[in-house]
PDB file of all heavy atoms in Angstrom:
ATOM      1  N   GLY A 677      13.612   8.474   4.464  1.00  0.00           N
ATOM      2  CA  GLY A 677      13.442   9.300   5.648  1.00  0.00           C
ATOM      3  C   GLY A 677      11.979   9.407   6.019  1.00  0.00           C
ATOM      4  O   GLY A 677      11.102   8.881   5.324  1.00  0.00           O
ATOM      5  N   ILE A 678      11.760  10.061   7.153  1.00  0.00           N
ATOM      6  CA  ILE A 678      10.404  10.452   7.531  1.00  0.00           C
ATOM      7  C   ILE A 678      10.379  11.953   7.368  1.00  0.00           C
ATOM      8  O   ILE A 678      11.267  12.644   7.888  1.00  0.00           O
ATOM      9  CB  ILE A 678      10.093  10.018   8.969  1.00  0.00           C
ATOM     10  CG1 ILE A 678       9.980   8.484   8.973  1.00  0.00           C
ATOM     11  CG2 ILE A 678       8.792  10.648   9.459  1.00  0.00           C
ATOM     12  CD1 ILE A 678       9.751   7.903  10.324  1.00  0.00           C
ATOM     13  N   TYR A 679       9.412  12.417   6.633  1.00  0.00           N
ATOM     14  CA  TYR A 679       9.391  13.819   6.249  1.00  0.00           C
ATOM     15  C   TYR A 679       9.502  14.728   7.466  1.00  0.00           C
ATOM     16  O   TYR A 679       8.718  14.599   8.409  1.00  0.00           O
ATOM     17  CB  TYR A 679       8.118  14.104   5.446  1.00  0.00           C
ATOM     18  CG  TYR A 679       8.146  15.450   4.752  1.00  0.00           C
ATOM     19  CD1 TYR A 679       9.114  15.727   3.798  1.00  0.00           C
ATOM     20  CD2 TYR A 679       7.215  16.431   5.050  1.00  0.00           C
ATOM     21  CE1 TYR A 679       9.155  16.955   3.158  1.00  0.00           C
ATOM     22  CE2 TYR A 679       7.240  17.659   4.409  1.00  0.00           C
ATOM     23  CZ  TYR A 679       8.225  17.914   3.470  1.00  0.00           C
ATOM     24  OH  TYR A 679       8.266  19.123   2.840  1.00  0.00           O
ATOM     25  N   LYS A 680      10.490  15.577   7.426  1.00  0.00           N
ATOM     26  CA  LYS A 680      10.738  16.561   8.476  1.00  0.00           C
ATOM     27  C   LYS A 680      10.965  15.950   9.863  1.00  0.00           C
ATOM     28  O   LYS A 680      10.744  16.606  10.872  1.00  0.00           O
ATOM     29  CB  LYS A 680       9.587  17.574   8.544  1.00  0.00           C
ATOM     30  CG  LYS A 680       9.559  18.489   7.328  1.00  0.00           C
ATOM     31  CD  LYS A 680       8.819  19.776   7.591  1.00  0.00           C
ATOM     32  CE  LYS A 680       7.342  19.582   7.671  1.00  0.00           C
ATOM     33  NZ  LYS A 680       6.522  20.698   7.293  1.00  0.00           N
ATOM     34  N   ASN A 681      11.341  14.692   9.919  1.00  0.00           N
ATOM     35  CA  ASN A 681      11.518  14.082  11.230  1.00  0.00           C
ATOM     36  C   ASN A 681      12.660  13.048  11.253  1.00  0.00           C
ATOM     37  O   ASN A 681      12.431  11.846  11.416  1.00  0.00           O
ATOM     38  CB  ASN A 681      10.197  13.455  11.684  1.00  0.00           C
ATOM     39  CG  ASN A 681      10.138  13.303  13.184  1.00  0.00           C
ATOM     40  OD1 ASN A 681      11.176  13.319  13.857  1.00  0.00           O
ATOM     41  ND2 ASN A 681       8.950  13.145  13.728  1.00  0.00           N
ATOM     42  N   PRO A 682      13.897  13.519  11.084  1.00  0.00           N
ATOM     43  CA  PRO A 682      15.033  12.597  11.034  1.00  0.00           C
ATOM     44  C   PRO A 682      15.202  11.775  12.319  1.00  0.00           C
ATOM     45  O   PRO A 682      15.635  10.623  12.272  1.00  0.00           O
ATOM     46  CB  PRO A 682      16.247  13.512  10.818  1.00  0.00           C
ATOM     47  CG  PRO A 682      15.786  14.903  11.044  1.00  0.00           C
ATOM     48  CD  PRO A 682      14.289  14.918  10.885  1.00  0.00           C
ATOM     49  N   LYS A 683      14.789  12.332  13.421  1.00  0.00           N
ATOM     50  CA  LYS A 683      14.969  11.607  14.683  1.00  0.00           C
ATOM     51  C   LYS A 683      14.068  10.368  14.725  1.00  0.00           C
ATOM     52  O   LYS A 683      14.481   9.288  15.105  1.00  0.00           O
ATOM     53  CB  LYS A 683      14.662  12.544  15.857  1.00  0.00           C
ATOM     54  CG  LYS A 683      14.891  11.867  17.177  1.00  0.00           C
ATOM     55  CD  LYS A 683      14.895  12.832  18.342  1.00  0.00           C
ATOM     56  CE  LYS A 683      15.177  12.129  19.652  1.00  0.00           C
ATOM     57  NZ  LYS A 683      14.381  10.952  19.914  1.00  0.00           N
ATOM     58  N   LYS A 684      12.854  10.593  14.280  1.00  0.00           N
ATOM     59  CA  LYS A 684      11.901   9.493  14.257  1.00  0.00           C
ATOM     60  C   LYS A 684      12.386   8.377  13.312  1.00  0.00           C
ATOM     61  O   LYS A 684      12.232   7.192  13.590  1.00  0.00           O
ATOM     62  CB  LYS A 684      10.553  10.043  13.773  1.00  0.00           C
ATOM     63  CG  LYS A 684       9.478   9.035  13.728  1.00  0.00           C
ATOM     64  CD  LYS A 684       8.351   9.451  14.603  1.00  0.00           C
ATOM     65  CE  LYS A 684       7.657   8.204  15.074  1.00  0.00           C
ATOM     66  NZ  LYS A 684       6.580   8.484  15.939  1.00  0.00           N
ATOM     67  N   TYR A 685      12.942   8.800  12.207  1.00  0.00           N
ATOM     68  CA  TYR A 685      13.484   7.837  11.227  1.00  0.00           C
ATOM     69  C   TYR A 685      14.536   6.965  11.905  1.00  0.00           C
ATOM     70  O   TYR A 685      14.497   5.740  11.837  1.00  0.00           O
ATOM     71  CB  TYR A 685      14.089   8.632  10.065  1.00  0.00           C
ATOM     72  CG  TYR A 685      14.737   7.821   8.967  1.00  0.00           C
ATOM     73  CD1 TYR A 685      13.987   6.965   8.158  1.00  0.00           C
ATOM     74  CD2 TYR A 685      16.101   7.939   8.710  1.00  0.00           C
ATOM     75  CE1 TYR A 685      14.584   6.250   7.133  1.00  0.00           C
ATOM     76  CE2 TYR A 685      16.704   7.237   7.682  1.00  0.00           C
ATOM     77  CZ  TYR A 685      15.939   6.386   6.897  1.00  0.00           C
ATOM     78  OH  TYR A 685      16.541   5.686   5.875  1.00  0.00           O
ATOM     79  N   LEU A 686      15.440   7.620  12.587  1.00  0.00           N
ATOM     80  CA  LEU A 686      16.519   6.915  13.277  1.00  0.00           C
ATOM     81  C   LEU A 686      15.960   6.001  14.373  1.00  0.00           C
ATOM     82  O   LEU A 686      16.300   4.824  14.454  1.00  0.00           O
ATOM     83  CB  LEU A 686      17.457   7.963  13.879  1.00  0.00           C
ATOM     84  CG  LEU A 686      18.763   7.446  14.423  1.00  0.00           C
ATOM     85  CD1 LEU A 686      19.692   7.102  13.275  1.00  0.00           C
ATOM     86  CD2 LEU A 686      19.422   8.496  15.316  1.00  0.00           C
ATOM     87  N   ASP A 687      15.090   6.555  15.182  1.00  0.00           N
ATOM     88  CA  ASP A 687      14.574   5.795  16.323  1.00  0.00           C
ATOM     89  C   ASP A 687      13.731   4.599  15.907  1.00  0.00           C
ATOM     90  O   ASP A 687      13.761   3.552  16.540  1.00  0.00           O
ATOM     91  CB  ASP A 687      13.707   6.692  17.221  1.00  0.00           C
ATOM     92  CG  ASP A 687      14.542   7.727  17.945  1.00  0.00           C
ATOM     93  OD1 ASP A 687      15.789   7.619  17.892  1.00  0.00           O
ATOM     94  OD2 ASP A 687      13.959   8.656  18.537  1.00  0.00           O
ATOM     95  N   THR A 688      12.932   4.776  14.854  1.00  0.00           N
ATOM     96  CA  THR A 688      12.010   3.706  14.477  1.00  0.00           C
ATOM     97  C   THR A 688      12.721   2.542  13.792  1.00  0.00           C
ATOM     98  O   THR A 688      12.423   1.388  14.065  1.00  0.00           O
ATOM     99  CB  THR A 688      10.926   4.241  13.516  1.00  0.00           C
ATOM    100  OG1 THR A 688      10.406   5.448  14.052  1.00  0.00           O
ATOM    101  CG2 THR A 688       9.808   3.249  13.317  1.00  0.00           C
ATOM    102  N   TYR A 689      13.632   2.871  12.901  1.00  0.00           N
ATOM    103  CA  TYR A 689      14.175   1.799  12.058  1.00  0.00           C
ATOM    104  C   TYR A 689      15.621   1.418  12.347  1.00  0.00           C
ATOM    105  O   TYR A 689      16.052   0.329  12.018  1.00  0.00           O
ATOM    106  CB  TYR A 689      14.070   2.200  10.578  1.00  0.00           C
ATOM    107  CG  TYR A 689      12.691   2.660  10.191  1.00  0.00           C
ATOM    108  CD1 TYR A 689      12.439   4.004   9.899  1.00  0.00           C
ATOM    109  CD2 TYR A 689      11.631   1.755  10.140  1.00  0.00           C
ATOM    110  CE1 TYR A 689      11.161   4.426   9.561  1.00  0.00           C
ATOM    111  CE2 TYR A 689      10.360   2.180   9.808  1.00  0.00           C
ATOM    112  CZ  TYR A 689      10.124   3.512   9.527  1.00  0.00           C
ATOM    113  OH  TYR A 689       8.869   3.931   9.192  1.00  0.00           O
ATOM    114  N   TRP A 690      16.405   2.355  12.882  1.00  0.00           N
ATOM    115  CA  TRP A 690      17.853   2.149  12.936  1.00  0.00           C
ATOM    116  C   TRP A 690      18.407   2.200  14.346  1.00  0.00           C
ATOM    117  O   TRP A 690      19.543   2.596  14.542  1.00  0.00           O
ATOM    118  CB  TRP A 690      18.559   3.196  12.048  1.00  0.00           C
ATOM    119  CG  TRP A 690      18.001   3.304  10.674  1.00  0.00           C
ATOM    120  CD1 TRP A 690      17.166   4.262  10.209  1.00  0.00           C
ATOM    121  CD2 TRP A 690      18.226   2.407   9.567  1.00  0.00           C
ATOM    122  NE1 TRP A 690      16.859   4.034   8.887  1.00  0.00           N
ATOM    123  CE2 TRP A 690      17.491   2.902   8.469  1.00  0.00           C
ATOM    124  CE3 TRP A 690      18.983   1.229   9.401  1.00  0.00           C
ATOM    125  CZ2 TRP A 690      17.477   2.290   7.218  1.00  0.00           C
ATOM    126  CZ3 TRP A 690      18.967   0.618   8.159  1.00  0.00           C
ATOM    127  CH2 TRP A 690      18.223   1.132   7.087  1.00  0.00           C
ATOM    128  N   LYS A 691      17.610   1.829  15.304  1.00  0.00           N
ATOM    129  CA  LYS A 691      18.088   1.919  16.677  1.00  0.00           C
ATOM    130  C   LYS A 691      18.175   0.547  17.331  1.00  0.00           C
ATOM    131  O   LYS A 691      19.199   0.197  17.893  1.00  0.00           O
ATOM    132  CB  LYS A 691      17.156   2.823  17.483  1.00  0.00           C
ATOM    133  CG  LYS A 691      17.849   3.412  18.675  1.00  0.00           C
ATOM    134  CD  LYS A 691      17.207   4.704  19.086  1.00  0.00           C
ATOM    135  CE  LYS A 691      18.152   5.515  19.949  1.00  0.00           C
ATOM    136  NZ  LYS A 691      17.510   6.758  20.327  1.00  0.00           N
ATOM    137  N   LYS A 692      17.117  -0.206  17.196  1.00  0.00           N
ATOM    138  CA  LYS A 692      17.045  -1.464  17.941  1.00  0.00           C
ATOM    139  C   LYS A 692      18.243  -2.376  17.680  1.00  0.00           C
ATOM    140  O   LYS A 692      18.769  -2.985  18.591  1.00  0.00           O
ATOM    141  CB  LYS A 692      15.742  -2.190  17.614  1.00  0.00           C
ATOM    142  CG  LYS A 692      15.446  -3.322  18.578  1.00  0.00           C
ATOM    143  CD  LYS A 692      14.004  -3.767  18.470  1.00  0.00           C
ATOM    144  CE  LYS A 692      13.742  -5.020  19.282  1.00  0.00           C
ATOM    145  NZ  LYS A 692      13.637  -4.787  20.717  1.00  0.00           N
ATOM    146  N   TYR A 693      18.666  -2.478  16.437  1.00  0.00           N
ATOM    147  CA  TYR A 693      19.803  -3.344  16.107  1.00  0.00           C
ATOM    148  C   TYR A 693      20.976  -2.556  15.523  1.00  0.00           C
ATOM    149  O   TYR A 693      21.784  -3.084  14.777  1.00  0.00           O
ATOM    150  CB  TYR A 693      19.359  -4.451  15.158  1.00  0.00           C
ATOM    151  CG  TYR A 693      18.340  -5.367  15.797  1.00  0.00           C
ATOM    152  CD1 TYR A 693      16.988  -5.265  15.460  1.00  0.00           C
ATOM    153  CD2 TYR A 693      18.716  -6.291  16.764  1.00  0.00           C
ATOM    154  CE1 TYR A 693      16.038  -6.078  16.079  1.00  0.00           C
ATOM    155  CE2 TYR A 693      17.780  -7.101  17.380  1.00  0.00           C
ATOM    156  CZ  TYR A 693      16.442  -6.995  17.037  1.00  0.00           C
ATOM    157  OH  TYR A 693      15.522  -7.795  17.648  1.00  0.00           O
ATOM    158  N   GLY A 694      20.999  -1.286  15.805  1.00  0.00           N
ATOM    159  CA  GLY A 694      22.112  -0.460  15.319  1.00  0.00           C
ATOM    160  C   GLY A 694      21.810   0.180  13.985  1.00  0.00           C
ATOM    161  O   GLY A 694      20.812  -0.137  13.330  1.00  0.00           O
ATOM    162  N   LYS A 695      22.702   1.064  13.573  1.00  0.00           N
ATOM    163  CA  LYS A 695      22.442   1.900  12.397  1.00  0.00           C
ATOM    164  C   LYS A 695      22.568   1.181  11.068  1.00  0.00           C
ATOM    165  O   LYS A 695      22.287   1.750  10.021  1.00  0.00           O
ATOM    166  CB  LYS A 695      23.416   3.075  12.396  1.00  0.00           C
ATOM    167  CG  LYS A 695      23.032   4.155  13.381  1.00  0.00           C
ATOM    168  CD  LYS A 695      23.944   5.332  13.219  1.00  0.00           C
ATOM    169  CE  LYS A 695      23.718   6.310  14.354  1.00  0.00           C
ATOM    170  NZ  LYS A 695      24.720   7.343  14.409  1.00  0.00           N
ATOM    171  N   LYS A 696      23.071  -0.057  11.094  1.00  0.00           N
ATOM    172  CA  LYS A 696      23.267  -0.756   9.817  1.00  0.00           C
ATOM    173  C   LYS A 696      22.184  -1.792   9.553  1.00  0.00           C
ATOM    174  O   LYS A 696      22.249  -2.513   8.567  1.00  0.00           O
ATOM    175  CB  LYS A 696      24.625  -1.450   9.814  1.00  0.00           C
ATOM    176  CG  LYS A 696      25.767  -0.472   9.707  1.00  0.00           C
ATOM    177  CD  LYS A 696      27.072  -1.230   9.580  1.00  0.00           C
ATOM    178  CE  LYS A 696      28.216  -0.265   9.787  1.00  0.00           C
ATOM    179  NZ  LYS A 696      29.433  -0.966  10.171  1.00  0.00           N
ATOM    180  N   ILE A 697      21.245  -1.893  10.485  1.00  0.00           N
ATOM    181  CA  ILE A 697      20.219  -2.932  10.334  1.00  0.00           C
ATOM    182  C   ILE A 697      18.834  -2.304  10.412  1.00  0.00           C
ATOM    183  O   ILE A 697      18.514  -1.597  11.364  1.00  0.00           O
ATOM    184  CB  ILE A 697      20.392  -4.005  11.434  1.00  0.00           C
ATOM    185  CG1 ILE A 697      21.722  -4.732  11.199  1.00  0.00           C
ATOM    186  CG2 ILE A 697      19.225  -4.977  11.456  1.00  0.00           C
ATOM    187  CD1 ILE A 697      21.996  -5.848  12.181  1.00  0.00           C
ATOM    188  N   TYR A 698      18.035  -2.564   9.387  1.00  0.00           N
ATOM    189  CA  TYR A 698      16.678  -2.018   9.343  1.00  0.00           C
ATOM    190  C   TYR A 698      15.734  -2.946  10.106  1.00  0.00           C
ATOM    191  O   TYR A 698      15.597  -4.132   9.781  1.00  0.00           O
ATOM    192  CB  TYR A 698      16.231  -1.871   7.877  1.00  0.00           C
ATOM    193  CG  TYR A 698      14.772  -1.506   7.719  1.00  0.00           C
ATOM    194  CD1 TYR A 698      14.366  -0.174   7.735  1.00  0.00           C
ATOM    195  CD2 TYR A 698      13.794  -2.488   7.562  1.00  0.00           C
ATOM    196  CE1 TYR A 698      13.028   0.165   7.603  1.00  0.00           C
ATOM    197  CE2 TYR A 698      12.448  -2.156   7.432  1.00  0.00           C
ATOM    198  CZ  TYR A 698      12.077  -0.829   7.454  1.00  0.00           C
ATOM    199  OH  TYR A 698      10.750  -0.494   7.319  1.00  0.00           O
ATOM    200  N   PHE A 699      15.078  -2.378  11.090  1.00  0.00           N
ATOM    201  CA  PHE A 699      14.157  -3.140  11.926  1.00  0.00           C
ATOM    202  C   PHE A 699      12.746  -3.025  11.335  1.00  0.00           C
ATOM    203  O   PHE A 699      12.223  -1.930  11.176  1.00  0.00           O
ATOM    204  CB  PHE A 699      14.222  -2.577  13.349  1.00  0.00           C
ATOM    205  CG  PHE A 699      13.226  -3.165  14.302  1.00  0.00           C
ATOM    206  CD1 PHE A 699      13.014  -4.540  14.369  1.00  0.00           C
ATOM    207  CD2 PHE A 699      12.499  -2.345  15.160  1.00  0.00           C
ATOM    208  CE1 PHE A 699      12.093  -5.078  15.253  1.00  0.00           C
ATOM    209  CE2 PHE A 699      11.571  -2.881  16.050  1.00  0.00           C
ATOM    210  CZ  PHE A 699      11.371  -4.244  16.095  1.00  0.00           C
TER     211      PHE A 699
END
Side-chain angles (χ1 to χ4, degrees):
I678 290 177
Y679 192 61
K680 290 202 287 208
N681 203 341
K683 183 167 182 310
K684 181 121 208 179
Y685 178 65
L686 190 75
D687 291 350
T688 312
Y689 309 110
W690 310 102
K691 204 154 199 180
K692 194 165 172 76
Y693 296 104
K695 283 186 190 169
K696 288 185 193 159
I697 294 182
Y698 172 87
F699 174 46

